[in-house]
Amino acid sequence: MEKIRVVGGSPLEGTVRISGAKNASLPDLCAALLTDEPVVLTNVPEVRDIRTMGRVLSALGATVEFRVGGTVEVRTSDITSIEAPYDLVKTMRASVLVLGPLLAREGRARVSLPGGCAIGDRPINLHLQALTKMGAEIAVEHGYVEARADRLRGAEISFETVSVTGTENLMMAAALAEGETVIGNAACEPEVSDLAALLVAMGARVEGAGTSTVRVSGVEHLGGARHQVIPDRIETGTYIAACAIAGGEIEIQRCVPGHLRAVIEKLRQTGVRIEEGPGNLRVRAPRQLQPSDIRTLPHPGFPTDMQAQYMALMTQASGTTTVTETIFENRFMHVAELERMGADIRVDGRTAVIKGSTPLSGAQVMATDLRASACLVLAGLAARGETVVDRVYHLDRGYYRIDEKLRGLGADIERLT
Ligand code: EPZ
């Protein structure tokens, strides 16, 4: 079990390059199931979840070729299985994104229910309700979703809760359905727009992606395409927070500032100096961070995937910050670990109150999910002494070489095998 060891106290300086977005690459890979022609994705981050998705697609009959430098080619000349097995889906919930494409392409799908995870039980009921409205017959038994549809029909759908992968599953299902599908209360995340751009390049007719109403007119056939995945906005926000908490001044390259507007504005309110360029950011830490409350919200609000990293930062702010997590019911698992490092945080339901600033001391800590791991690494950058973060596989699911990138910025950090 690998660990990451951080010794706090070194301000960051230099340049870091952002990798492609994990949460855009995952639906983009699944979209390749919709055609028997090759789909080539570039700027795909070489992280664990991408490998897992490669295994899921291969299990369905796709040929997945990982080339050097983040290019992935997927060829699904024919689907040889319609089952996404439990042992893969349980390791990565995003595997449910094969449901829509399989139904659209093959008319059948057998996908294991993802089961809960550290941050909540995360059902897929909204995905299933929407697919049923498109004519799919769906049964849930023995922990699997059994779905079939001779031909999906366009429908008028409105999600009662904004769901990122729910919106993405529906867009892919609707791309080959008969007639028009209108998705109301759709997720507006940049990753949804990235999927739409790929689908359009494949010949789909999609309008309104990035807004809360997406219209998809089904077509008979989709072809192959070449598509560059957008940069990872959460990785970008994580490095802004890293500089803010460790001190110093860094340049973040190959990012899209417009994809994390709420994060940039909020961090400016805490005193972080952020200058925007066309595809880069210059970040300078303030001498003293100021507290500023957040509520996580669907895009374009403050992203839940930045909540843990922001909480670590606010332990160093001069005053009290309130963090309200409105998306997931159990995304404060990092609080206990931060408290072991000296943070003063009180949790009441979906709200955490952080008293700053508290000096942090290095400790042995354990990560529970991808973003909680990042939060603990950030806290380690500011803590006195040595922090060892266990269960680093969580980090490797969504961050490409975070230890190397932070070391390149001057952090005293190493991976212990
Ligand atoms: C996506 O998960 C992301 N994953 C998550 O990132 C991110 O935290 C989340 O969106 C919210 O932004 C990928 O894109 C692969 P949701 P997703 O469906 O789609 C409830 C990371 O760190 N809900 O938008 O699974 C759900 O329980 C990961 O990279 C239902 O009740 O999230 C949650 O409370 C973590 N029924 C809320 O909606 C459903 O059918 C939003 O979930 C679907 C969702």
Side-chain angles (χ1 to χ4, degrees), residues 281-349:
L281 292 167
R282 290 199 64 76
V283 180
R284 187 175 340 144
R287 261 188 307 285
Q288 179 52 58
L289 285 159
Q290 302 303 318
S292 183
D293 297 348
I294 59 161
R295 280 172 65 83
T296 63
L297 289 168
H299 195 78
F302 191 96
T304 174
D305 291 349
M306 275 298 300
Q307 179 256 107
Q309 299 92 306
Y310 186 77
M311 189 184 286
L313 189 59
M314 287 298 101
T315 66
Q316 303 308 299
S318 61
T320 299
T321 301
T322 299
V323 170
T324 306
E325 171 57 59
T326 74
I327 307 292
F328 291 110
E329 65 270 20
N330 185 32
R331 203 169 196 176
F332 285 147
M333 312 277 277
H334 42 284
V335 168
E337 297 302 295
L338 286 173
E339 285 177 320
R340 294 183 58 245
M341 297 176 72
D344 178 351
I345 304 172
R346 184 169 45 78
V347 172
D348 175 12

Coordinates of all heavy atoms in Angstrom, one line a residue, residues 281-349:
L281 N -3.0 30.5 -15.4 CA -3.3 31.3 -14.2 C -2.0 31.6 -13.5 O -1.1 30.7 -13.4 CB -4.2 30.6 -13.2 CG -5.6 30.3 -13.7 CD1 -6.3 29.3 -12.8 CD2 -6.4 31.6 -13.7
R282 N -1.8 32.8 -13.0 CA -0.7 33.1 -12.1 C -1.3 33.3 -10.7 O -2.2 34.1 -10.5 CB 0.1 34.4 -12.5 CG 0.8 34.2 -13.8 CD 1.9 35.3 -13.9 NE 2.9 35.2 -12.9 CZ 3.9 34.2 -12.9 NH1 3.9 33.3 -13.9 NH2 4.8 34.2 -11.9
V283 N -0.8 32.5 -9.7 CA -1.3 32.5 -8.4 C -0.3 33.0 -7.4 O 0.9 32.5 -7.4 CB -1.8 31.1 -8.0 CG1 -2.4 31.0 -6.6 CG2 -2.8 30.6 -9.0
R284 N -0.7 33.9 -6.5 CA 0.2 34.3 -5.4 C -0.5 34.2 -4.1 O -1.6 34.7 -3.9 CB 0.8 35.7 -5.6 CG 1.9 36.0 -4.6 CD 2.6 37.3 -4.8 NE 2.5 37.9 -6.1 CZ 2.4 39.3 -6.2 NH1 2.3 40.0 -5.1 NH2 2.4 39.8 -7.4
A285 N 0.1 33.6 -3.1 CA -0.5 33.4 -1.8 C -0.4 34.7 -1.0 O 0.5 35.4 -1.1 CB 0.2 32.3 -1.0
P286 N -1.5 35.0 -0.2 CA -1.5 36.2 0.6 C -0.6 35.9 1.9 O -0.4 34.7 2.2 CB -2.9 36.4 0.9 CG -3.5 35.1 1.0 CD -2.8 34.3 -0.1
R287 N -0.2 36.9 2.6 CA 0.5 36.7 3.8 C -0.5 36.1 4.8 O -0.2 35.2 5.6 CB 1.0 38.0 4.4 CG 2.5 38.2 4.1 CD 3.0 39.4 4.8 NE 2.2 40.6 4.5 CZ 2.3 41.3 3.4 NH1 3.1 40.9 2.4 NH2 1.5 42.3 3.2
Q288 N -1.8 36.6 4.8 CA -2.8 36.1 5.7 C -4.1 35.8 4.9 O -4.6 36.7 4.3 CB -3.0 37.1 6.8 CG -4.1 36.6 7.8 CD -3.8 35.2 8.4 OE1 -2.7 35.0 9.0 NE2 -4.7 34.3 8.2
L289 N -4.5 34.6 5.0 CA -5.8 34.2 4.4 C -7.0 34.7 5.2 O -6.9 34.7 6.4 CB -5.9 32.7 4.3 CG -5.0 32.0 3.2 CD1 -4.8 30.5 3.5 CD2 -5.7 32.2 1.8
Q290 N -8.0 35.1 4.5 CA -9.2 35.6 5.1 C -10.3 34.5 5.0 O -10.4 33.9 4.0 CB -9.8 36.9 4.4 CG -8.7 38.0 4.4 CD -8.3 38.4 5.9 OE1 -9.1 38.4 6.8 NE2 -7.0 38.5 6.0
P291 N -11.2 34.4 6.0 CA -12.3 33.4 5.9 C -13.3 33.9 4.9 O -13.5 35.0 4.7 CB -12.8 33.4 7.4 CG -12.5 34.7 7.9 CD -11.2 35.2 7.3
S292 N -14.0 32.9 4.3 CA -15.1 33.2 3.4 C -15.9 31.9 3.2 O -15.4 30.9 2.9 CB -14.6 33.7 2.0 OG -15.7 34.0 1.2
D293 N -17.2 32.1 3.5 CA -18.1 30.9 3.6 C -18.4 30.3 2.2 O -18.3 31.1 1.2 CB -19.5 31.3 4.2 CG -19.3 31.7 5.7 OD1 -18.2 31.5 6.2 OD2 -20.2 32.3 6.2
I294 N -18.7 29.0 2.1 CA -19.1 28.5 0.8 C -20.3 27.5 1.0 O -20.5 27.0 2.1 CB -18.0 27.6 0.1 CG1 -17.5 26.5 1.0 CG2 -16.8 28.5 -0.4 CD1 -16.7 25.4 0.2
R295 N -21.1 27.4 -0.1 CA -22.1 26.4 -0.2 C -21.8 25.7 -1.5 O -21.6 26.3 -2.5 CB -23.5 27.0 -0.3 CG -24.1 27.4 1.0 CD -25.4 28.2 0.6 NE -26.4 27.4 0.0 CZ -27.2 26.6 0.6 NH1 -27.1 26.5 1.9 NH2 -28.1 25.8 0.0
T296 N -21.6 24.3 -1.5 CA -21.4 23.7 -2.7 C -22.7 23.6 -3.5 O -23.8 23.4 -2.9 CB -20.9 22.2 -2.5 OG1 -21.9 21.5 -1.8 CG2 -19.6 22.3 -1.7
L297 N -22.6 23.7 -4.8 CA -23.8 23.8 -5.7 C -23.4 23.1 -7.0 O -22.2 23.1 -7.4 CB -24.2 25.2 -5.9 CG -24.9 25.9 -4.7 CD1 -25.0 27.4 -5.0 CD2 -26.2 25.3 -4.4
P298 N -24.4 22.7 -7.8 CA -24.2 22.3 -9.2 C -23.5 23.5 -10.0 O -23.7 24.6 -9.6 CB -25.5 22.0 -9.7 CG -26.4 21.7 -8.6 CD -25.9 22.6 -7.5
H299 N -22.8 23.1 -11.0 CA -22.1 24.2 -11.8 C -23.2 25.1 -12.4 O -24.3 24.7 -12.7 CB -21.4 23.5 -13.0 CG -20.5 24.4 -13.7 ND1 -19.2 24.6 -13.3 CD2 -20.6 25.1 -14.9 CE1 -18.6 25.4 -14.1 NE2 -19.4 25.7 -15.1
P300 N -22.9 26.4 -12.4 CA -21.6 27.1 -12.1 C -21.4 27.5 -10.7 O -20.5 28.3 -10.4 CB -21.8 28.4 -13.0 CG -23.2 28.7 -12.9 CD -24.0 27.4 -12.8
G301 N -22.0 26.9 -9.7 CA -21.8 27.1 -8.3 C -20.4 26.5 -7.9 O -19.7 25.9 -8.7
F302 N -20.1 26.7 -6.6 CA -18.8 26.2 -6.1 C -18.9 24.7 -6.1 O -19.8 24.1 -5.5 CB -18.6 26.7 -4.7 CG -17.2 26.4 -4.2 CD1 -16.2 27.4 -4.3 CD2 -16.8 25.2 -3.6 CE1 -14.9 27.2 -3.8 CE2 -15.5 24.9 -3.2 CZ -14.6 25.9 -3.3
P303 N -17.9 24.0 -6.8 CA -18.0 22.5 -7.0 C -17.8 21.7 -5.7 O -16.8 22.0 -4.9 CB -17.0 22.2 -8.0 CG -16.0 23.3 -7.9 CD -16.8 24.5 -7.5
T304 N -18.6 20.7 -5.5 CA -18.4 19.8 -4.3 C -17.0 19.2 -4.3 O -16.4 18.9 -3.3 CB -19.5 18.7 -4.2 OG1 -19.2 17.8 -3.2 CG2 -19.6 18.0 -5.6
D305 N -16.5 19.0 -5.5 CA -15.2 18.3 -5.6 C -14.0 19.2 -5.2 O -12.9 18.7 -5.1 CB -14.9 17.9 -7.1 CG -15.8 16.7 -7.4 OD1 -16.5 16.2 -6.5 OD2 -15.9 16.4 -8.6
M306 N -14.3 20.5 -4.8 CA -13.3 21.4 -4.3 C -13.6 21.6 -2.8 O -12.8 22.4 -2.2 CB -13.3 22.7 -5.0 CG -12.4 22.7 -6.3 SD -10.7 22.3 -6.0 CE -10.3 23.7 -5.0
Q307 N -14.6 21.1 -2.2 CA -15.0 21.4 -0.8 C -13.9 21.0 0.2 O -13.5 21.8 1.0 CB -16.3 20.7 -0.5 CG -16.9 20.9 0.8 CD -16.7 19.7 1.7 OE1 -15.9 19.7 2.6 NE2 -17.5 18.7 1.5
A308 N -13.4 19.8 0.0 CA -12.4 19.3 1.0 C -11.1 20.1 0.9 O -10.6 20.5 2.0 CB -12.1 17.8 0.8
Q309 N -10.7 20.4 -0.3 CA -9.5 21.2 -0.5 C -9.6 22.6 0.2 O -8.8 23.1 0.8 CB -9.1 21.3 -1.9 CG -8.8 20.0 -2.7 CD -10.1 19.4 -3.3 OE1 -11.1 19.3 -2.6 NE2 -10.0 19.1 -4.6
Y310 N -10.8 23.2 -0.1 CA -11.1 24.5 0.5 C -11.1 24.5 2.0 O -10.6 25.4 2.7 CB -12.4 25.0 -0.1 CG -12.7 26.4 0.3 CD1 -12.1 27.5 -0.4 CD2 -13.6 26.8 1.3 CE1 -12.4 28.8 0.0 CE2 -13.9 28.1 1.7 CZ -13.3 29.1 1.0 OH -13.5 30.4 1.4
M311 N -11.7 23.4 2.6 CA -11.7 23.3 4.0 C -10.3 23.3 4.6 O -10.1 24.0 5.6 CB -12.5 22.0 4.5 CG -12.8 22.0 6.0 SD -13.5 20.5 6.5 CE -15.2 20.7 5.8
A312 N -9.4 22.5 4.0 CA -8.0 22.5 4.5 C -7.5 24.0 4.5 O -6.9 24.4 5.5 CB -7.2 21.6 3.6
L313 N -7.8 24.7 3.4 CA -7.3 26.1 3.3 C -7.8 26.9 4.4 O -7.1 27.7 5.0 CB -7.7 26.6 1.9 CG -7.1 27.9 1.5 CD1 -5.6 27.9 1.4 CD2 -7.7 28.3 0.1
M314 N -9.1 26.8 4.7 CA -9.7 27.7 5.7 C -9.3 27.4 7.1 O -9.5 28.3 8.0 CB -11.3 27.6 5.6 CG -11.8 28.3 4.3 SD -11.4 30.1 4.3 CE -10.0 30.1 3.2
T315 N -8.6 26.3 7.4 CA -8.0 26.1 8.7 C -6.9 27.2 9.0 O -6.6 27.4 10.1 CB -7.4 24.7 8.9 OG1 -6.3 24.6 8.0 CG2 -8.4 23.6 8.6
Q316 N -6.4 27.8 7.9 CA -5.3 28.8 8.0 C -5.9 30.2 7.8 O -5.1 31.1 7.8 CB -4.3 28.5 6.9 CG -3.7 27.1 7.0 CD -3.2 26.8 8.4 OE1 -2.3 27.4 8.9 NE2 -3.8 25.8 9.0
A317 N -7.2 30.3 7.7 CA -7.7 31.7 7.5 C -7.9 32.3 8.9 O -8.1 31.6 9.9 CB -9.1 31.6 6.8
S318 N -7.8 33.7 9.0 CA -7.9 34.4 10.3 C -9.4 34.6 10.6 O -9.8 35.8 10.5 CB -7.1 35.7 10.2 OG -7.8 36.5 9.2
G319 N -10.1 33.6 11.0 CA -11.5 33.8 11.4 C -12.2 32.5 11.2 O -11.7 31.5 10.8
T320 N -13.6 32.6 11.2 CA -14.4 31.4 11.1 C -15.1 31.3 9.8 O -15.5 32.3 9.2 CB -15.5 31.5 12.2 OG1 -14.9 31.5 13.5 CG2 -16.5 30.3 12.2
T321 N -15.0 30.1 9.2 CA -15.6 29.8 7.9 C -16.7 28.8 8.1 O -16.5 27.8 8.8 CB -14.5 29.3 6.9 OG1 -13.5 30.3 6.8 CG2 -15.1 29.0 5.6
T322 N -17.8 29.0 7.3 CA -18.8 27.9 7.3 C -18.9 27.3 5.9 O -18.9 28.0 4.9 CB -20.2 28.6 7.6 OG1 -20.2 29.1 8.9 CG2 -21.3 27.5 7.5
V323 N -18.8 26.0 5.9 CA -18.8 25.2 4.7 C -20.1 24.4 4.7 O -20.3 23.6 5.6 CB -17.6 24.3 4.6 CG1 -17.7 23.3 3.4 CG2 -16.3 25.1 4.4
T324 N -20.9 24.6 3.7 CA -22.2 23.8 3.6 C -22.1 22.9 2.3 O -21.9 23.4 1.2 CB -23.4 24.7 3.5 OG1 -23.3 25.6 4.6 CG2 -24.7 23.9 3.5
E325 N -22.3 21.6 2.5 CA -22.2 20.6 1.4 C -23.6 20.2 1.0 O -24.3 19.5 1.7 CB -21.4 19.4 1.9 CG -21.4 18.2 0.9 CD -20.8 18.6 -0.4 OE1 -19.7 19.0 -0.6 OE2 -21.6 18.4 -1.4
T326 N -24.1 20.7 -0.1 CA -25.5 20.5 -0.5 C -25.6 19.3 -1.4 O -26.7 18.9 -1.7 CB -26.1 21.7 -1.2 OG1 -25.5 21.8 -2.5 CG2 -25.8 23.0 -0.4
I327 N -24.5 18.8 -2.0 CA -24.6 17.8 -3.0 C -24.6 16.4 -2.4 O -25.5 15.5 -2.8 CB -23.5 17.9 -4.1 CG1 -23.4 19.3 -4.6 CG2 -23.6 16.8 -5.1 CD1 -24.5 19.7 -5.5
F328 N -23.7 16.1 -1.6 CA -23.6 14.7 -1.0 C -23.9 14.7 0.5 O -23.5 15.7 1.2 CB -22.2 14.1 -1.2 CG -21.9 13.8 -2.7 CD1 -21.0 14.5 -3.4 CD2 -22.6 12.8 -3.3 CE1 -20.8 14.3 -4.7 CE2 -22.4 12.5 -4.6 CZ -21.5 13.2 -5.4
E329 N -24.4 13.6 1.0 CA -24.9 13.6 2.4 C -23.7 13.2 3.4 O -23.9 13.4 4.6 CB -26.0 12.7 2.6 CG -25.8 11.2 2.4 CD -26.0 10.7 1.0 OE1 -26.0 11.6 0.1 OE2 -26.2 9.5 0.8
N330 N -22.6 12.8 2.8 CA -21.6 12.4 3.8 C -20.2 12.7 3.3 O -19.3 11.9 3.1 CB -21.7 10.8 4.0 CG -20.7 10.4 5.0 OD1 -20.4 11.1 6.0 ND2 -20.1 9.2 4.9
R331 N -20.0 14.0 2.9 CA -18.7 14.3 2.3 C -17.8 15.2 3.3 O -17.2 16.1 2.9 CB -18.9 15.1 1.0 CG -17.7 14.9 0.1 CD -17.8 15.4 -1.3 NE -16.7 14.9 -2.1 CZ -16.6 15.0 -3.4 NH1 -17.6 15.7 -4.1 NH2 -15.6 14.5 -4.1
F332 N -17.9 14.8 4.6 CA -17.0 15.4 5.6 C -16.1 14.5 6.2 O -15.6 14.7 7.3 CB -17.9 16.1 6.7 CG -18.6 17.4 6.2 CD1 -19.8 17.7 6.7 CD2 -18.0 18.2 5.3 CE1 -20.5 18.9 6.4 CE2 -18.6 19.4 4.9 CZ -19.9 19.7 5.4
M333 N -15.7 13.4 5.5 CA -14.9 12.3 6.1 C -13.5 12.8 6.4 O -12.8 12.3 7.2 CB -14.8 11.1 5.2 CG -16.1 10.6 4.6 SD -17.0 9.6 5.7 CE -16.2 8.0 5.3
H334 N -13.1 13.9 5.7 CA -11.8 14.5 5.9 C -11.7 15.3 7.2 O -10.6 15.6 7.6 CB -11.4 15.3 4.7 CG -12.5 16.2 4.2 ND1 -13.6 15.8 3.5 CD2 -12.7 17.5 4.4 CE1 -14.4 16.8 3.3 NE2 -13.9 17.8 3.8
V335 N -12.8 15.6 7.8 CA -12.8 16.5 9.0 C -12.0 15.8 10.1 O -11.1 16.5 10.7 CB -14.2 16.9 9.4 CG1 -14.2 17.5 10.8 CG2 -14.9 17.8 8.4
A336 N -12.3 14.6 10.4 CA -11.7 13.9 11.5 C -10.1 13.9 11.3 O -9.4 14.1 12.3 CB -12.2 12.5 11.6
E337 N -9.7 13.7 10.1 CA -8.3 13.6 9.8 C -7.7 15.0 10.0 O -6.6 15.1 10.5 CB -8.0 13.0 8.4 CG -8.5 11.6 8.2 CD -7.9 10.6 9.2 OE1 -6.7 10.4 9.1 OE2 -8.6 10.1 10.0
L338 N -8.4 16.0 9.5 CA -7.8 17.4 9.7 C -7.7 17.7 11.2 O -6.8 18.4 11.6 CB -8.7 18.4 9.0 CG -8.6 18.4 7.4 CD1 -9.7 19.4 6.9 CD2 -7.3 18.9 7.0
E339 N -8.7 17.3 12.0 CA -8.7 17.5 13.4 C -7.5 16.9 14.0 O -6.8 17.4 14.9 CB -10.0 17.0 14.1 CG -11.2 17.9 13.8 CD -12.5 17.4 14.3 OE1 -12.7 16.2 14.3 OE2 -13.3 18.2 14.9
R340 N -7.1 15.7 13.5 CA -5.9 15.0 14.1 C -4.7 15.8 13.8 O -3.7 15.7 14.5 CB -5.8 13.6 13.5 CG -6.9 12.7 13.9 CD -6.8 11.3 13.4 NE -5.5 10.7 13.9 CZ -4.5 10.4 13.1 NH1 -4.6 10.6 11.8 NH2 -3.4 9.9 13.6
M341 N -4.7 16.7 12.8 CA -3.6 17.6 12.5 C -3.7 18.9 13.3 O -2.8 19.7 13.1 CB -3.5 17.8 11.0 CG -3.3 16.5 10.2 SD -3.3 16.8 8.4 CE -1.7 17.6 8.2
G342 N -4.8 19.1 14.1 CA -4.8 20.3 14.9 C -5.9 21.3 14.4 O -6.1 22.3 15.0
A343 N -6.7 20.9 13.4 CA -7.8 21.8 12.9 C -8.9 21.9 14.0 O -9.1 20.9 14.7 CB -8.3 21.3 11.6
D344 N -9.6 23.0 14.0 CA -10.7 23.2 14.9 C -12.0 23.3 14.1 O -12.3 24.3 13.5 CB -10.5 24.4 15.7 CG -11.7 24.7 16.7 OD1 -12.7 24.0 16.6 OD2 -11.6 25.7 17.5
I345 N -12.7 22.1 13.9 CA -13.8 22.1 13.0 C -15.0 21.4 13.7 O -14.9 20.4 14.4 CB -13.5 21.2 11.7 CG1 -12.3 21.8 11.0 CG2 -14.7 21.2 10.7 CD1 -11.7 20.9 9.9
R346 N -16.2 22.0 13.6 CA -17.4 21.4 14.2 C -18.4 21.1 13.1 O -18.6 22.0 12.2 CB -18.0 22.4 15.2 CG -19.2 21.9 16.0 CD -19.6 22.8 17.1 NE -19.6 24.2 16.7 CZ -20.6 24.8 16.0 NH1 -21.6 24.0 15.6 NH2 -20.5 26.0 15.7
V347 N -18.9 19.9 13.0 CA -19.8 19.5 12.0 C -21.2 19.4 12.5 O -21.4 18.8 13.6 CB -19.4 18.1 11.4 CG1 -20.5 17.6 10.4 CG2 -18.1 18.3 10.6
D348 N -22.2 20.0 11.8 CA -23.6 19.8 12.2 C -24.4 19.5 11.0 O -24.7 20.4 10.2 CB -24.0 21.1 12.9 CG -25.5 21.1 13.2 OD1 -26.1 20.0 13.1 OD2 -26.1 22.1 13.5
G349 N -24.6 18.2 10.7 CA -25.3 17.8 9.5 C -24.5 18.1 8.3 O -23.4 17.6 8.1

